[in-house]
Amino acid sequence: MPHSLQPQPLTPEAFAPFGQVLQKDGARNFAINDGTCRRFHDLANVEATGPGGRVIVSLVTGEPSTLPLLVEMVERHPFGSQAFHPLSRNRFLVVVCEDEDGRPVRPRAFLTSPGQGVNYDRNVWHGVLTPLGETSDFLIVDRDGEGDNLEVFTFDEPVLVRAPGE
Amino acid sequence: MPHSLQPQPLTPEAFAPFGQVLQKDGARNFAINDGTCRRFHDLANVEATGPGGRVIVSLVTGEPSTLPLLVEMVERHPFGSQAFHPLSRNRFLVVVCEDEDGRPVRPRAFLTSPGQGVNYDRNVWHGVLTPLGETSDFLIVDRDGEGDNLEVFTFDEPVLVRAPGE
């Protein structure tokens, strides 16, 4: 039996060791444009370091996964943060690990609520993009530049993320 | 009678003098995550210059406008680009001007197709966020930092943006 995890609801507090939740609820906000708009300001710790590092904006389309799901690997980006915001109300799965001596340990799984995005802090171990339910589009804010910005770790034993309530 | 404009469909080619259209169609793309995702890469010229300039990610909720619409002012940001991507399929209105000796001239109006976003290049004159139809959420990628990053210009004669086909 692989190590198994019950995904938890994604909240800013629970996710704080790994990055930020992109959501309006609880965010600092103020009116702009003569009061016709409300801005929820500066939600992510955006970092683009290393040689030639710069912040880029991309889109991604991802095929859906289903739970339970075997997670075989995680990755991290030593030079930059990476934000994903859904362009739909579809949920996605967020898997993160703490780091111990360069190895990912103590995996955690979070299930987004509709409309929530995430920003992984620079060098935080995380699973690949995992939309649930149906093919989903996301906007990405991350880093381009020179140097090797990708580190991959394959688990000796895959981690099983259970369906909620199972 | 104010000067009036017929909004045109937003295309990367027509918008090129002012910035970039954020869309998958026609964008450089490649498979990631073992082929389960397709990434449409580096779609915006993100700039965050000036003292303490850094790229930030924010959300905004905007009340809808209706066409025809009187546009009384435009603004620009000398230190940074500004990207808006809708988090719904609602359209929005994009008004931009060329610059001539520090004044906005030759206003243009574009109507987005569902799902299109825009990035205004640094220092490009543009109208404020103008969702159409219903209250709409957007993700913003722009600049924070020190210095005065906002220049506003109020037209002597407002510009009337007509409804499509009128």
Side-chain angles (χ1 to χ4, degrees):
Chain A
M1 277 289 289
H3 178 62
S4 85
L5 283 179
Q6 177 71 56
Q8 303 298 309
L10 181 68
T11 66
E13 296 71 24
F15 193 65
F18 310 105
Q20 300 80 46
V21 177
L22 307 180
Q23 63 177 31
K24 295 187 290 184
D25 193 28
R28 179 163 78 93
N29 65 86
F30 46 87
I32 58 172
N33 300 349
D34 276 338
T36 62
C37 296
R38 183 157 289 274
R39 181 174 171 130
F40 301 82
H41 188 72
D42 192 9
L43 306 179
N45 292 336
V46 178
E47 282 196 278
T49 67
R54 64 190 179 91
V55 178
I56 61 171
V57 174
S58 303
L59 296 169
V60 64
T61 296
E63 293 174 17
S65 295
T66 50
L67 300 180
L69 178 72
L70 268 181
V71 175
E72 316 237 1
M73 50 75 75
V74 288
E75 61 185 39
R76 63 177 179 177
H77 309 296
F79 293 142
S81 57
Q82 193 170 45
F84 294 89
H85 202 290
L87 302 181
S88 69
R89 305 287 292 171
N90 299 338
R91 297 169 190 265
F92 62 106
L93 179 72
V94 173
V95 173
V96 285
C97 297
E98 297 173 48
D99 180 81
E100 211 165 74
D101 303 323
R103 292 170 66 96
V105 295
R106 290 182 285 280
R108 304 276 303 275
F110 297 98
L111 195 59
T112 64
S113 293
Q116 284 180 322
V118 295
N119 183 59
Y120 299 112
D121 279 340
R122 185 174 63 78
N123 223 24
V124 163
W125 293 109
H126 61 274
V128 298
L129 184 64
T130 309
L132 300 171
E134 49 189 303
T135 300
S136 303
D137 285 354
F138 294 78
L139 187 139
I140 307 176
V141 179
D142 65 355
R143 182 258 188 203
D144 203 359
E146 297 160 42
D148 185 2
N149 190 31
L150 175 63
E151 188 177 354
V152 172
F153 187 94
T154 302
F155 295 119
D156 295 335
E157 291 276 337
V159 175
L160 178 69
V161 179
R162 303 197 296 269
E166 280 180 15
Chain B
M1 279 289 288
H3 178 64
S4 85
L5 283 179
Q6 177 71 57
Q8 303 297 310
L10 182 68
T11 67
E13 296 73 22
F15 193 65
F18 310 104
Q20 300 79 47
V21 177
L22 308 179
Q23 63 176 31
K24 295 187 291 183
D25 193 26
R28 179 164 78 92
N29 65 86
F30 46 86
I32 58 172
N33 299 351
D34 275 337
T36 62
C37 296
R38 183 157 288 274
R39 181 174 170 129
F40 301 82
H41 187 71
D42 191 10
L43 306 178
N45 292 336
V46 178
E47 282 195 278
T49 68
R54 63 190 179 92
V55 178
I56 60 171
V57 174
S58 303
L59 296 170
V60 64
T61 296
E63 295 173 16
S65 296
T66 51
L67 300 180
L69 178 72
L70 268 180
V71 175
E72 317 236 359
M73 51 74 75
V74 287
E75 63 185 38
R76 63 177 178 177
H77 308 296
F79 292 142
S81 58
Q82 193 171 43
F84 294 90
H85 202 291
L87 302 181
S88 68
R89 303 288 291 171
N90 299 338
R91 297 170 189 264
F92 62 107
L93 180 72
V94 172
V95 173
V96 285
C97 297
E98 297 173 47
D99 180 81
E100 210 165 74
D101 302 323
R103 294 170 66 95
V105 295
R106 290 182 285 278
R108 304 276 303 273
F110 297 98
L111 196 58
T112 65
S113 293
Q116 285 180 321
V118 295
N119 183 59
Y120 299 112
D121 280 339
R122 183 175 64 77
N123 222 24
V124 163
W125 293 110
H126 61 274
V128 297
L129 184 65
T130 309
L132 300 172
E134 48 189 303
T135 300
S136 303
D137 285 354
F138 295 77
L139 187 139
I140 306 177
V141 180
D142 64 356
R143 181 258 188 202
D144 203 358
E146 297 159 42
D148 185 1
N149 190 30
L150 175 63
E151 189 177 352
V152 173
F153 186 95
T154 302
F155 295 119
D156 294 334
E157 292 277 336
V159 174
L160 180 70
V161 179
R162 302 197 296 269
E166 281 182 13

